[in-house]
Amino acid sequence: MTTETQDRETTDGFHLVIDALKLNDIDTIFALPGIPITDFLRMAQAEGIKVFSFRHEQHAGNAAAAAGFITGKPGICFTVSAPGFLNGLTALANATTNCFPMILISGSSEREVVDLQQGDYEEMDQLAIAKPLCKAAFRVLHAEDIGVGIARAIRAAVSGRPGGVYLDLPAKLFAQHIDKEVAQRSLIKVVDPAPKQIPAADAVKRAVDLLKGAKKPLVILGKGAAYAQADAEIKTFIERTGIPYLPMSMAKGLLPDNHAQSASAARSYVLAEADVVMLVGARLNWLLSHGKGKTWGAASSKGWGQQQFIQVDISPTEADSNVAIAAPVIGDIGSCISALNQAIGSGLAKPPADWLGAIAERKDKNLTKMAETLAKNPPVMNFHSALNVVRNTIKAHPKAYLVNEGANALDFTRSIVDMYEPRRRLDVGTWGIMGIGMGFAVAAAAVTGEQVLAVEGDSAFGFSGMEVETICRYNLPVCIVVMNNNGIYKGTDVNPRGDAMAPTQFVKNARYDLMMEAFGGVGVTAKNPEELQKAIDAAFASRKPTLINALIDESAGTESGRITSLNPAAKKK
Ligand code: ADP
């Protein structure tokens, strides 16, 4: 056979993977090239797939995870074997923890050599390592199984509770040739990858009955509710019932934060006082104090455990994971809320006026206090005066994506910056980790084309800072604000021995803006809110990659931000 005839009649593993992805409407890949993925990425690009190539696999993985959250389609990340795979694995585990659909596809060494531990280049039993850290893991050994492998990975990532999936593709697979017709027949277009899950009628009734008897009802919207893209149903439910609601961090904007029923500004009060709490795509994990302790019990002399919970979730095993759930409603959020809306009709009385009045009173007081703090313009910029600028910017550009990580930079931004549109806030999520910043920013810009504003603590930025080159290379509309207070938490720590910097200190007055300039982007230093506003406005108008080095009072901030309770050393201070 001549090469020409061979090309006509056969295809190879490389092209089959590309065909399988394209058949399933996957149009974007986040990756880091290396053998044999380099050739794969070249071919994928030549076949019309958008390829975003990163400087470190963790950020490519984080980008895939964020793309999954924003679009509801699995985000795809490609890495090389062993170290590349391990670097991507952090993102895969984080995606799984956060219930974001993502598929990590890594090249790997040949099974025969790995299993006999014969010392291959980058030898590692990647499938075994990935398994406990993700929702599902598969390996494909034969080209004719590529279609099945991709289909299984897609289904596992997006059906039920979404999560991370690992797909192991040994290097030899890519070069395997098979008959073109057989290959075409082996591909699978996944039909209905995330099937609706309709809740049982008696579960819906149980929940409605509980709401009917509530004197102080509360709804908590989590990022599962944002992910579900059931925005209209959720809005109808909230407004029809009149129940006050609290958005978890990444559910901010599902309803605008200035909505009359938002109880964010009275958070501690409503958590302590509510008698029936309905969780919608939110887990009772550490972010909600596990539904226990003084956060929940302050209203009752008997302590926590007086509230009754309704939990709307796709995962049947989530209920009772921390406290008793009186009314689990299991199904996809769209179907569940729609069933609840139908069951309620107009037959649910609005919550008692004294409950709504008490919340409104606290809200007014706290919002007035916040407005006073934000109106101050201290001589040295602090988190509040800087974030007032960010707050105004998002108000003026509600469709922009806000990426946010850090300790104080995270906590202050979350409470100060209102969101107005669903799924626009991307942050450190369930683990509260650092390092998601630039990966999430690239993903948001890449899959939506919208302007991105990344508010980064100077420490948090360091985890993914090199990706500013990626942002410049693809000329993405990303504006990064580094809240520079010269260190982790703050820059004032002192080493009592005086022979080196303290562990939490960074180089003083670092020029993060020059990092962006190094790659052709715009770098600006902002010493006050006026300079910060001007630089953000210019970035939004030009859509040029921009990094603003925002100089913050180095004594601003508390150790561990708002999770001081988890840090025994900081608690003593
Ligand atoms: P948050 O951190 O905002 O409180 P979590 O990540 O703890 O949110 O909770 C998200 C929850 O949403 C998970 O329990 C997950 O099973 C659930 N979930 C995700 N997608 C859906 C969906 N489409 N329908 C129903 N529940 C969902």
Side-chain angles (χ1 to χ4, degrees):
M1 232 191 309
T2 64
T3 326
E4 234 173 66
T5 353
Q6 202 177 26
D7 282 351
R8 246 197 349 257
E9 294 177 346
T10 66
T11 185
D12 58 19
F14 286 111
H15 287 96
L16 263 178
V17 174
I18 295 166
D19 290 347
L21 292 173
K22 282 177 70 174
L23 185 64
N24 286 290
D25 302 323
I26 295 202
D27 55 11
T28 306
I29 287 175
F30 304 96
L32 201 151
I35 301 166
I37 299 302
T38 321
D39 274 344
F40 171 80
L41 296 174
R42 287 192 186 112
M43 293 178 203
Q45 196 171 47
E47 297 283 337
I49 293 185
K50 278 183 261 165
V51 176
F52 289 88
S53 152
F54 283 70
R55 304 300 294 257
H56 188 288
E57 293 86 350
Q58 191 179 124
H59 312 310
N62 282 328
F69 171 73
I70 295 169
T71 64
K73 288 200 291 187
I76 308 287
C77 173
F78 271 82
T79 78
V80 297
S81 47
F85 154 79
L86 287 174
N87 287 344
L89 197 55
T90 306
L92 185 71
N94 187 51
T96 309
T97 299
N98 281 283
C99 314
F100 298 158
M102 152 182 186
I103 305 175
L104 175 69
I105 305 180
S106 297
S108 63
S109 302
E110 307 317 330
R111 290 294 335 141
E112 300 83 341
V113 186
V114 173
D115 289 348
L116 278 172
Q117 299 176 27
Q118 293 176 304
D120 203 2
Y121 168 67
E122 295 188 350
E123 177 183 298
M124 178 174 278
D125 189 357
Q126 296 170 196
L127 187 73
I129 292 166
K131 258 184 193 161
L133 297 171
C134 60
K135 193 177 163 193
F138 306 101
R139 175 186 292 125
V140 181
L141 289 175
H142 304 292
E144 56 266 36
D145 291 332
I146 287 173
V148 171
I150 299 280
R152 300 213 71 190
I154 292 173
R155 280 202 186 279
V158 296
S159 62
R161 171 182 277 180
V165 176
Y166 174 60
L167 192 60
D168 194 75
L169 302 185
K172 236 167 35 185
L173 177 81
F174 289 104
Q176 275 180 31
H177 276 258
I178 63 165
D179 180 85
K180 234 179 185 168
E181 263 188 51
V182 174
Q184 281 311 313
R185 264 181 275 136
S186 72
L187 295 182
I188 296 175
K189 171 140 179 88
V190 179
V191 176
D192 196 12
K196 278 189 179 170
Q197 296 188 22
I198 314 292
D202 59 339
V204 173
K205 182 175 180 311
R206 201 180 292 124
V208 173
D209 286 348
L210 213 52
L211 287 176
K212 279 185 179 157
K215 301 215 160 30
K216 298 175 173 183
L218 173 70
V219 171
I220 298 182
L221 300 173
K223 59 178 160 337
Y227 172 79
Q229 301 200 14
D231 311 342
E233 291 290 359
I234 291 172
K235 182 173 188 290
T236 302
F237 178 82
I238 296 287
E239 292 181 348
R240 192 180 283 173
T241 60
I243 300 176
Y245 74 92
L246 275 184
M248 299 298 288
S249 187
M250 282 180 64
K252 276 166 71 77
L254 186 43
L255 289 147
D257 276 337
N258 58 356
H259 193 284
Q261 285 169 253
S262 167
S264 289
R267 190 175 193 275
S268 351
Y269 176 74
V270 290
L271 288 181
E273 292 275 341
D275 62 352
V276 173
V277 179
M278 177 166 146
L279 301 156
V280 184
R283 287 170 285 188
L284 274 178
N285 55 17
W286 70 282
L287 290 161
L288 284 169
S289 310
H290 305 280
K292 301 178 195 176
K294 59 179 188 318
T295 304
W296 291 90
S300 159
S301 55
K302 293 187 201 136
W304 63 271
Q306 307 306 302
Q307 281 108 343
Q308 286 190 293
F309 287 96
I310 299 166
Q311 185 153 34
V312 180
D313 204 289
I314 202 149
S315 167
T317 54
E318 185 55 39
D320 304 332
S321 53
N322 284 278
V323 296
I325 301 297
V329 182
I330 304 306
D332 69 278
I333 285 170
S335 301
C336 291
I337 300 295
S338 157
L340 284 161
N341 281 338
Q342 264 175 26
I344 287 165
S346 52
L348 189 72
K350 295 271 164 182
D354 54 350
W355 173 230
L356 300 182
I359 297 172
E361 199 181 301
R362 259 112 194 143
K363 250 180 89 169
D364 285 351
K365 209 170 89 198
N366 291 339
L367 289 175
T368 308
K369 218 160 75 187
M370 174 68 90
E372 281 165 13
T373 314
L374 292 178
K376 283 183 197 152
N377 195 355
V380 185
M381 188 156 67
N382 61 13
F383 284 103
H384 286 87
S385 56
L387 288 171
N388 192 32
V389 171
V390 175
R391 177 183 161 94
N392 293 336
T393 303
I394 295 294
K395 195 170 183 185
H397 303 272
K399 291 213 178 305
Y401 280 78
L402 181 69
V403 172
N404 186 207
E405 62 177 336
N408 295 286
L410 174 84
D411 295 333
F412 285 123
T413 306
R414 191 178 48 225
S415 57
I416 292 172
V417 180
D418 285 341
M419 303 303 295
Y420 303 90
E421 294 280 338
R423 295 170 290 284
R424 290 307 198 277
R425 189 182 150 85
L426 307 171
D427 69 25
V428 302
T430 304
W431 269 344
I433 54 154
M434 309 269 170
I436 50 89
M438 296 305 103
F440 279 18
V442 170
V447 300
T448 72
E450 296 285 353
Q451 176 69 47
V452 177
L453 182 60
V455 177
E456 301 274 313
D458 49 353
S459 163
F461 175 68
F463 288 72
S464 64
M466 190 63 207
E467 301 298 344
V468 294
E469 191 274 332
T470 309
I471 291 167
C472 288
R473 192 166 8 110
Y474 294 104
N475 195 24
L476 296 171
V478 174
C479 172
I480 304 158
V481 177
V482 176
M483 299 290 215
N484 186 358
N485 63 354
N486 293 335
I488 303 175
Y489 310 128
K490 42 188 170 178
T492 49
D493 214 356
V494 178
N495 168 5
R497 293 172 61 96
D499 54 359
M501 299 277 275
T504 58
Q505 282 184 301
F506 291 152
V507 166
K508 297 241 185 243
N509 308 316
R511 297 288 307 279
Y512 293 102
D513 48 315
L514 297 182
M515 286 176 67
M516 192 55 116
E517 286 190 8
F519 303 107
V522 178
V524 187
T525 290
K527 295 183 294 303
N528 55 48
E530 294 73 33
E531 289 177 2
L532 181 57
Q533 186 72 71
K534 200 168 145 221
I536 294 181
D537 287 348
F540 275 48
S542 71
R543 287 173 57 89
K544 282 190 190 149
T546 302
L547 192 151
I548 304 165
N549 185 28
L551 305 181
I552 303 287
D553 180 354
E554 71 169 2
S555 65
T558 54
E559 179 139 350
S560 304
R562 286 214 187 131
I563 51 174
T564 307
S565 58
L566 304 180
N567 180 352
K571 251 197 304 195
K572 272 190 247 138
K573 283 188 185 170

